[in-house]
Amino acid sequence: MKKSRSFVLLLMNVLPSHQLCLIGAAMLLFLSACNRPLVPFAAENGVDSIWADSAYQRAKKAEFYYNNNLKDSLFKQVAEDMAFDKEHQQWNWYYYSWMLLVNKCTFSGDVKRALEESNLMHSDATERNNAYGLALAKYAMALVYACQENYEEATIGFEEALRRYPKDCDPSVLFVIYYYYSSTLEEKHDMKSNEEVLTLWKATLDKTFQESDKYDDTKALWLYQYYKALFGFHFSQQDLAQATDDLDSMQYYVEHSGNTVFGVAYVTSSRSKLALASKDYATAIAYNNKEYAESKKLGPTIYMKAVERRAEILEAMGMYREALKLRNEFDRLKDSLNQADSQHELNEMAKRYELDELRTQQEKEKDALKQRQMNFIKAFAAILFFIMLVVSIIRHRSRLRLAQEHQKLTDAYKQLTIANEKAEESSKMKTMFIKQMSHEIRTPLNILSGFTQVLTSTDVELDEETRAEVNERITKNTARITELVNKMLELSDANSTSVIEKNDTITVEQIIISAVESVGMSSYKMIDFRTEIAPEANNKTLLTNYDQSVRALSLILANARKFLQKPTGEANGQSIGKIRLKAGLQADNLIAFAVEDSGIGVPPSEAEHIFEEFVQLDSYYEGMGIGLTVARSIARRLGGDITLDTTFTGGARFIMTLPLS
């Protein structure tokens, strides 16, 4: 794995040498883990897996910037990634990207921002109750404390991070936390706690990688890191035998993880270190020679460590002059690396400035091109919209015309249907009227014919009483025929729209008295009949036609009387009901004559039908069905009207209105 010189140099400048051992080695571990493919997090509930894949690809891009110490690009990428992850609810990747930003601030020496970001991350994860986010926040915060040599707080943070780390998340970051935790305890010289952490780490490794073979290469990498930490633990305890076993295990797993150059170099360096501690100087020099040769391929930083190791061996052997030369070489290399890194940073800044200028110009050209394209698209869209609008208007108007024509045809068909129905009904009613008229006229004619034959017969002699009765019957039936003829004439006149002349000034009481006498209501002893005139209407006069107004009211009274009587007549001398004639003042300067009866009543649905010609709701009652038609025609031609009060119960109530003078 390639490691940036500027990044390592930055650590050397901002951290003490012993702290550099802790953080530098651990950072190398973290970068190694980042360069290996991560197992993507499982798609969160209800979220399409395509967003999880996209978030994973974005995180890999951020890792590239992180590994190559491209800080500005990293911060920009992380901001974009976090916005994307938040929009699509990829919270695990959201906190992973945030962790990269915090760690970069930590290793860049920006401790203030690192603490601020880690605290914000912790608050955000707490609000969302996200265990992975809380674990990474605690880990990032602990790392800041470790860099500041605040090992007590760092230990608490690492322990909390391990406790909160979800079991179903990628284990790479979990193993990094174990490494930092172990390294921090080693710096703290808390060997007991470090031993416990190493034990837990090994148990977690075994549990993680025992279920699937696809993690074999990854398992080798992390076991190498584990034994590297275990080697440091035993070496610091001066348990050189156990440290030797750890080193053998390290080499075994380096070989099975691909013999990475850094892994091989670290094993060689550790064998030289172990031989030096065992005072086996020949072996130490032999491994250092190999380390010395390999380190030149890995860059000045690793080479400097090899030079420093050789100086330590020579000093242990008492070869102080040669050791001093190597110490001077180490300082020269360090200064040279500082200068090279500074120049590299300046070159990078210049290149970035030129690149930014070029990108700015390209962006301007792209924006101008996009603007032209957008203007063309807008113009084309406007033309297309106008054409569609015109076509839509034409089609809409065509549909309206078709709808209107269809509606006209429908209305004409409905009117024709109604007219046919009315014609059929009129034909039926006229037929019934003719039959009724035939019956109404034939009955009194038969009576007149019979009595005429009796009176003209020479063989028949009548006493005075019988003769008087015959005369009465003849007179009554003659009047009946006359009444029928008058009704026919009235019906003919009822269809006229001419206004009746109103030359008579008459009181309300006079109209009522005349109508009652015309109907002969006093002769119907079995009917409870009364008239009532409201005080406000008692002295009112009407400018109307006396005969016609009386006739209209008489027809209503006659209708009430007819439907109050039983079809069989006034049997058994019992009361057959009541009729009330009431007069009162109505709004709009009208007099209302209300005729109420306790008869069979009229259904509300027939309120208008009964005023049509020849309509009879009950065929058991005598009549031709023209009385109400004539009465309404008269009232309307006098300026009033006749209606049925559908709210009245217990019979029927007809209201005739006439205007005052």
Side-chain angles (χ1 to χ4, degrees):
M1 181 189 66
K2 182 179 179 180
K3 183 171 72 170
S4 171
R5 292 183 304 157
S6 59
F7 174 65
V8 175
L9 184 60
L10 177 60
L11 287 176
M12 295 174 64
N13 289 336
V14 300
L15 299 174
S17 59
H18 70 282
Q19 196 171 348
L20 179 63
C21 294
L22 165 67
I23 303 305
M27 196 54 207
L28 181 60
L29 163 70
F30 183 73
L31 295 178
S32 300
C34 290
N35 269 348
R36 301 188 68 82
L38 289 177
V39 178
F41 298 111
E44 298 180 35
N45 294 335
V47 180
D48 196 321
S49 61
I50 188 173
W51 301 125
D53 293 339
S54 298
Y56 167 70
Q57 296 299 331
R58 286 174 169 271
K60 296 304 295 180
K61 188 175 182 180
E63 287 174 2
F64 172 80
Y65 294 139
Y66 187 101
N67 296 340
N68 291 277
N69 200 32
L70 300 176
K71 183 177 177 181
D72 294 340
S73 298
L74 172 68
F75 286 177
K76 181 180 179 182
Q77 183 66 36
V78 167
E80 294 176 358
D81 291 355
M82 290 177 66
F84 176 87
D85 297 337
K86 186 174 184 180
E87 179 182 358
H88 300 291
Q89 300 183 24
Q90 299 295 313
W91 300 116
N92 286 346
W93 290 117
Y94 174 79
Y95 292 115
Y96 181 80
S97 298
W98 203 342
M99 178 202 68
L100 293 179
L101 183 145
V102 176
N103 286 357
K104 179 56 66 176
C105 290
T106 300
F107 296 126
S108 299
D110 192 352
V111 177
K112 180 180 179 182
R113 183 175 179 183
L115 282 175
E116 290 175 352
E117 292 289 345
S118 58
N119 283 322
L120 289 174
M121 184 178 174
H122 185 272
S123 299
D124 188 273
T126 301
E127 184 178 349
R128 300 185 196 282
N129 194 26
N130 187 288
Y132 185 73
L134 286 170
L136 296 194
K138 286 292 185 180
Y139 152 64
M141 199 177 298
L143 197 58
V144 177
Y145 288 132
C147 290
Q148 296 298 305
E149 300 183 49
N150 187 348
Y151 298 126
E152 291 295 334
E153 292 295 335
T155 300
I156 295 173
F158 287 130
E159 183 178 355
E160 186 70 12
L162 291 176
R163 187 180 68 82
R164 291 182 176 274
Y165 201 90
K167 296 180 180 180
D168 58 344
C169 288
D170 176 75
S172 298
V173 179
L174 176 64
F175 298 147
V176 172
I177 297 173
Y178 270 117
Y179 192 96
Y180 278 113
Y181 194 8
S182 175
S183 300
T184 300
L185 292 173
E186 185 176 339
E187 290 294 327
K188 189 181 175 184
H189 303 293
D190 187 350
M191 298 306 171
K192 181 179 180 181
S193 298
N194 194 15
E195 185 175 12
E196 293 174 355
V197 169
L198 289 168
T199 302
L200 288 174
W201 186 2
K202 183 62 167 62
T204 304
L205 283 167
D206 293 341
K207 183 178 179 181
T208 301
F209 296 116
Q210 68 182 354
E211 297 178 357
S212 175
D213 294 333
K214 67 179 181 179
Y215 294 115
D216 282 353
D217 57 341
T218 307
K219 179 178 180 180
L221 171 67
W222 285 113
L223 285 172
Y224 156 70
Q225 301 294 351
Y226 164 73
Y227 281 108
K228 186 164 69 171
L230 193 61
F231 169 78
F233 170 74
H234 288 133
F235 188 83
S236 64
Q237 294 287 87
Q238 295 298 310
D239 188 351
L240 301 183
Q242 188 61 52
T244 301
D245 293 340
D246 297 336
L247 195 53
D248 292 339
S249 297
M250 284 171 56
Q251 183 167 352
Y252 172 81
Y253 288 114
V254 165
E255 293 172 356
H256 282 76
S257 62
N259 280 319
T260 59
V261 291
F262 284 100
V264 172
Y266 190 84
V267 169
T268 303
S269 175
S270 298
R271 289 199 179 280
S272 177
K273 179 180 178 181
L274 184 61
L276 176 61
S278 302
K279 299 183 179 181
D280 184 357
Y281 302 125
T283 302
I285 284 292
Y287 278 116
N288 182 253
N289 288 334
K290 187 177 180 181
E291 176 188 8
Y292 206 85
E294 291 175 349
S295 63
K296 291 182 178 180
K297 305 174 185 178
L298 301 178
T301 304
I302 305 300
Y303 176 66
M304 285 167 57
K305 296 295 295 181
V307 171
E308 186 179 26
R309 179 83 61 206
R310 174 163 291 195
E312 291 175 354
I313 297 172
L314 293 177
E315 286 175 352
M317 295 174 63
M319 301 172 67
Y320 299 109
R321 185 182 297 277
E322 291 80 356
L324 179 60
K325 292 179 180 179
L326 291 173
R327 291 289 184 185
N328 292 332
E329 176 68 9
F330 177 82
D331 292 337
R332 185 187 65 77
L333 289 172
K334 184 177 179 180
D335 293 339
S336 176
L337 187 62
N338 282 333
Q339 293 176 1
D341 190 67
S342 298
Q343 186 61 44
H344 175 74
E345 291 291 336
L346 291 174
N347 293 338
E348 284 292 325
M349 291 179 62
K351 290 179 180 179
R352 288 182 185 178
Y353 178 77
E354 293 175 0
L355 184 60
D356 288 343
E357 287 290 321
L358 180 59
R359 287 177 178 174
T360 301
Q361 183 62 30
Q362 290 176 344
E363 289 296 329
K364 288 182 179 179
E365 293 177 357
K366 287 182 180 179
D367 290 341
L369 179 60
K370 287 182 179 179
Q371 187 63 40
R372 289 195 297 271
Q373 292 175 343
M374 185 59 65
N375 291 337
F376 174 77
I377 293 172
K378 287 180 179 179
F380 180 76
I383 295 172
L384 183 60
F385 175 76
F386 178 75
I387 294 173
M388 292 177 64
L389 181 62
V390 172
V391 172
S392 177
I393 292 173
I394 294 173
R395 292 183 62 185
H396 179 67
R397 289 181 177 177
S398 299
R399 285 197 297 267
L400 285 179
R401 285 197 296 270
L402 289 174
Q404 290 172 355
E405 293 298 328
H406 177 72
Q407 187 62 41
K408 287 180 181 179
L409 291 174
T410 302
D411 293 342
Y413 177 76
K414 288 181 179 179
Q415 292 174 1
L416 181 60
T417 302
I418 294 172
N420 288 336
E421 291 175 353
K422 287 185 176 180
E424 291 178 3
E425 184 178 1
S426 176
S427 177
K428 291 179 181 179
M429 294 181 68
K430 287 179 180 178
T431 301
M432 291 177 61
F433 171 71
I434 292 172
K435 290 180 180 179
Q436 186 69 23
M437 282 295 296
S438 176
H439 171 73
E440 291 287 338
I441 294 175
R442 188 182 299 114
T443 299
L445 283 177
N446 288 336
I447 294 174
L448 290 175
S449 176
F451 281 126
T452 302
Q453 291 178 10
V454 171
L455 291 176
T456 57
S457 176
T458 56
D459 298 332
V460 179
E461 293 183 4
L462 300 175
D463 56 32
E464 289 299 326
E465 183 178 354
T466 302
R467 186 178 295 278
E469 182 181 353
V470 169
N471 287 333
E472 181 183 355
R473 297 284 294 277
I474 291 172
T475 302
K476 183 178 180 181
N477 282 282
T478 302
R480 185 175 177 183
I481 293 174
T482 303
E483 177 70 13
L484 289 173
V485 173
N486 288 336
K487 283 187 176 181
M488 292 299 298
L489 294 173
E490 287 178 336
L491 179 61
S492 176
D493 189 52
N495 293 324
S496 173
T497 58
S498 62
V499 178
I500 300 175
E501 293 185 1
K502 298 183 288 184
N503 298 320
D504 301 321
T505 301
I506 187 171
T507 64
V508 173
E509 185 178 10
Q510 287 175 313
I511 294 175
I512 291 175
I513 292 173
S514 298
V516 171
E517 290 180 354
S518 174
V519 176
M521 289 298 298
S522 59
S523 64
Y524 294 91
K525 304 300 183 182
M526 299 303 149
I527 297 177
D528 179 9
F529 175 73
R530 295 180 188 177
T531 61
E532 299 176 12
I533 302 176
E536 66 272 13
N538 192 27
N539 297 321
K540 296 294 183 180
T541 60
L542 296 87
L543 180 61
T544 185
N545 186 294
Y546 171 73
D547 293 333
Q548 295 295 330
S549 60
V550 171
R551 178 60 178 163
L553 187 56
S554 298
L555 289 171
I556 299 175
L557 284 170
N559 183 75
R561 184 197 65 198
K562 179 175 70 172
F563 288 102
L564 192 63
Q565 291 177 307
K566 296 180 180 179
T568 56
E570 302 173 5
N572 302 324
Q574 297 179 351
S575 174
I576 59 176
K578 62 181 180 180
I579 295 177
R580 297 288 184 268
L581 173 55
K582 302 177 182 180
L585 186 62
Q586 197 178 68
D588 300 326
N589 203 30
L590 295 173
I591 291 293
F593 299 89
V595 178
E596 302 174 0
D597 66 71
S598 59
I600 62 174
V602 180
S605 60
E606 301 290 339
E608 287 298 318
H609 188 222
I610 58 174
F611 288 101
E612 296 178 7
E613 298 174 355
F614 316 127
V615 173
Q616 286 184 291
L617 300 182
D618 195 329
S619 60
Y620 285 101
Y621 291 88
E622 295 181 354
M624 295 178 292
I626 61 175
L628 291 177
T629 305
V630 172
R632 172 178 270 191
S633 174
I634 293 172
R636 287 182 173 179
R637 291 159 67 195
L638 289 173
D641 199 1
I642 296 178
T643 57
L644 174 70
D645 184 359
T646 56
T647 64
F648 185 77
T649 58
R653 176 195 285 160
F654 287 88
I655 299 175
M656 182 180 78
T657 57
L658 293 175
L660 290 170
S661 300

